[in-house]
């Protein structure tokens, strides 16, 4: 992968993270949006980039690296959007989407919050690296089936 494709991958990941950060505030959609962020962000971004031919993935290693980049950057962008919104909603309007998050934001120090965000971003990177790997194999499998039919 070249620098341009990594920049495009990072930009699309950040956009997806911000979008899911806003969607997670909705009470009944929040859990689904968070699961999509943690597990399926790489699937969405890699599939989209392959369909519009912005990226070409030739090896397993490239799919794993792309999935890890998507997972890490999308979670950081998610936290940049989600955590301030939760803080504002809990302090100003006294609304709680997830009560535990707002309590942790009010009690935890800035360093602990940053550390937790980084550890969760690493967890998201690992999970999305695996799903990026599965996406690559799934698309290659479908491509081989299509080639056999022709």
């Amino acid at each position: 992968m070249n620098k341009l494709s990594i920049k495009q991958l990072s930009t699309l990941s950040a956009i997806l993270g911000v979008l899911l950060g806003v969607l997670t505030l909705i009470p009944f959609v929040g859990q689904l949006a968070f699961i999509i962020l943690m597990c399926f962000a790489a699937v969405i971004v890699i599939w989209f980039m392959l369909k519009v031919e912005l990226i070409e993935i030739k090896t397993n290693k490239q799919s794993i690296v792309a999935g890890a980049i998507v997972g890490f950057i999308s979670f950081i962008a998610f936290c940049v959007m989600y955590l301030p919104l939760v803080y504002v909603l809990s302090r100003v309007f006294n609304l709680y989407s997830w009560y535990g998050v707002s309590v942790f934001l009010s009690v935890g120090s800035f360093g602990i919050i940053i550390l937790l965000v980084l550890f969760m971003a690493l967890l998201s990177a690992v999970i999305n690296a695996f799903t990026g790997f599965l996406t690559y194999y799934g698309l290659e499998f479908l491509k081989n089936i299509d080639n056999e039919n022709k």
Side-chain angles (χ1 to χ4, degrees):
M1 288 190 299
N2 56 11
K3 288 183 182 181
L4 179 64
S5 62
I6 291 175
K7 286 180 184 179
Q8 292 170 341
L9 189 73
S10 301
T11 304
L12 287 174
S13 301
I15 291 170
L16 182 66
V18 167
L19 178 69
L20 290 173
V22 172
L23 287 177
T24 306
L25 291 172
I26 301 171
F28 296 111
V29 181
Q31 289 87 6
L32 181 63
F34 190 74
I35 290 171
I36 289 172
L37 173 75
M38 290 297 290
C39 300
F40 301 113
V43 174
I44 295 168
V45 173
I46 291 173
W47 180 78
F48 175 76
M49 289 186 76
L50 286 172
K51 287 299 176 189
V52 296
E53 298 176 355
L54 291 175
I55 194 172
E56 185 176 337
I57 297 178
K58 297 179 183 176
T59 64
N60 297 340
K61 185 178 178 181
Q62 288 178 341
S63 67
I64 292 169
V65 169
I69 291 171
V70 169
F72 188 81
I73 292 177
S74 64
F75 193 84
I76 296 295
F78 166 81
C79 287
V80 165
M81 189 67 179
Y82 179 72
L83 293 179
L85 288 177
V86 166
Y87 187 77
V88 167
L89 286 176
S90 67
R91 292 290 171 217
V92 175
F93 299 111
N94 207 15
L95 296 171
Y96 305 102
S97 63
W98 287 355
Y99 182 71
V101 174
S102 60
V103 167
F104 184 74
L105 286 175
S106 64
V107 174
S109 67
F110 186 72
I112 297 295
I113 293 170
I114 295 296
L115 191 64
L116 180 66
V117 166
L118 288 177
F119 281 135
M120 287 297 292
L122 286 175
L123 177 66
S124 176
V126 169
I127 294 170
N128 278 298
F130 180 69
T131 57
F133 174 71
L134 291 179
T135 302
Y136 171 73
Y137 266 118
L139 291 174
E140 286 296 315
F141 179 72
L142 292 176
K143 194 184 300 182
N144 288 340
I145 288 176
D146 190 39
N147 288 339
E148 289 176 6
N149 290 337
K150 288 181 181 180

